[in-house]
Amino acid sequence: AQSVTQLDSQVPVFEEAPVELRCNYSSSVSVYLFWYVQYPNQGLQLLLKYLSGSTLVKGINGFEAEFNKSQTSFHLRKPSVHISDTAEYFCAVTLTGGGNKLTFGTGTQLKVEL
Amino acid sequence: DAGVTQSPTHLIKTRGQHVTLRCSPISGHKSVSWYQQVLGQGPQFIFQYYEKEERGRGNFPDRFSARQFPNYSSELNVNALLLGDSALYLCASQGAGLRGYTFGSGTRLTVV
């Protein structure tokens, strides 16, 4: 079975600073990887996904992530954060082939401060 | 196009009661999945339906059940509610290829 570890439960950062949210996964077979953002009292919004191809994936709101198969990681980065990026971020994994369940990490709370 | 719609948005139930949550997928999407998100945790998979057939079930008790209708909308039913069932219940729909998941805004269930 696959699993996801988000190493940081909270990440405080000043506005306009860069940020990296870490995600490691475990799976014995190939996977698809996702990052979702959740604002307070809302559902999940897809930031980006890796299905195949280029290991550097660009998403919405200036976020990007790099798939590293050897390190089984899919870290999320943004070069300059804004106050509006304050939210909970979830990394998720699913088996390739489609139609499989998503397994989520426990989330990272990104708090952007002035 | 409308996204994934869930109803109700909030509800409060008493222990032991029954609840039905509803989800309408994006038009043309034939797969619906349900997730439970307890406060402070990541979503946990409950069920997946595709073309009205159950395709997967998570580690939840038999008090949880679901179904999918001919129009691909879905219901999640929970019987004999416990305090621990209090959570945000999320519905996700998948389109062709089943490789993307679009989530609704969720139903916040509070059991008192």
Side-chain angles (χ1 to χ4, degrees):
Chain A
Q2 64 271 30
S3 66
V4 176
T5 302
Q6 292 185 245
L7 298 166
D8 306 299
S9 60
Q10 294 186 38
V11 173
V13 62
F14 288 109
E15 193 174 31
E16 297 183 3
V19 70
E20 178 180 84
L21 306 184
R22 296 181 292 170
C23 172
N24 286 88
Y25 69 93
S26 174
S27 176
S28 57
V29 296
S30 297
V31 297
Y32 297 146
L33 293 153
F34 304 79
W35 274 100
Y36 285 89
V37 61
Q38 187 174 39
Y39 299 101
N41 300 314
Q42 294 189 26
L44 299 173
Q45 180 183 7
L46 180 67
L47 280 176
L48 48 79
K49 60 185 176 185
Y50 173 78
L51 302 181
S52 64
S54 173
T55 57
L56 182 62
V57 181
K58 293 190 182 297
I60 63 171
N61 302 338
F63 285 94
E64 64 181 31
E66 186 156 18
F67 171 56
N68 188 319
K69 189 174 182 179
S70 63
Q71 296 187 9
T72 60
S73 68
F74 191 55
H75 300 334
L76 181 70
R77 302 184 184 99
K78 186 169 183 178
S80 177
V81 295
H82 188 267
I83 285 287
S84 60
D85 293 323
T86 295
E88 188 87 19
Y89 291 78
F90 292 96
C91 181
V93 64
T94 186
L95 301 179
T96 58
N100 298 293
K101 69 174 184 177
L102 281 168
T103 298
F104 287 87
T106 51
T108 297
Q109 176 66 43
L110 175 64
K111 184 173 182 181
V112 181
E113 303 168 350
L114 293 172
Chain B
D1 284 343
V4 179
T5 57
Q6 292 188 243
S7 63
T9 55
H10 298 82
L11 74 165
I12 299 173
K13 290 286 189 177
T14 303
R15 279 177 296 174
Q17 285 188 317
H18 163 90
V19 69
T20 297
L21 311 180
R22 296 178 174 83
C23 171
S24 293
I26 291 172
S27 178
H29 284 196
K30 299 180 179 180
S31 176
V32 169
S33 300
W34 288 94
Y35 291 79
Q36 180 197 62
Q37 185 180 17
V38 174
L39 195 62
Q41 297 183 20
Q44 298 290 319
F45 172 72
I46 309 175
F47 284 108
Q48 183 186 29
Y49 277 78
Y50 177 71
E51 290 275 19
K52 294 162 285 181
E53 297 289 328
E54 183 180 303
R55 284 280 297 265
R57 183 183 184 116
N59 188 23
F60 280 80
D62 292 343
R63 299 184 296 107
F64 287 77
S65 64
R67 56 180 175 168
Q68 187 177 32
F69 298 99
N71 66 353
Y72 304 113
S73 67
S74 177
E75 284 183 354
L76 175 69
N77 295 282
V78 187
N79 292 322
L81 285 167
L82 303 174
L83 295 179
D85 295 330
S86 295
L88 180 67
Y89 288 85
L90 295 163
C91 173
S93 78
Q94 291 179 276
L98 302 178
R99 298 187 301 173
Y101 305 78
T102 303
F103 283 84
S105 297
T107 294
R108 173 74 62 186
L109 171 65
T110 301
V111 182
V112 297

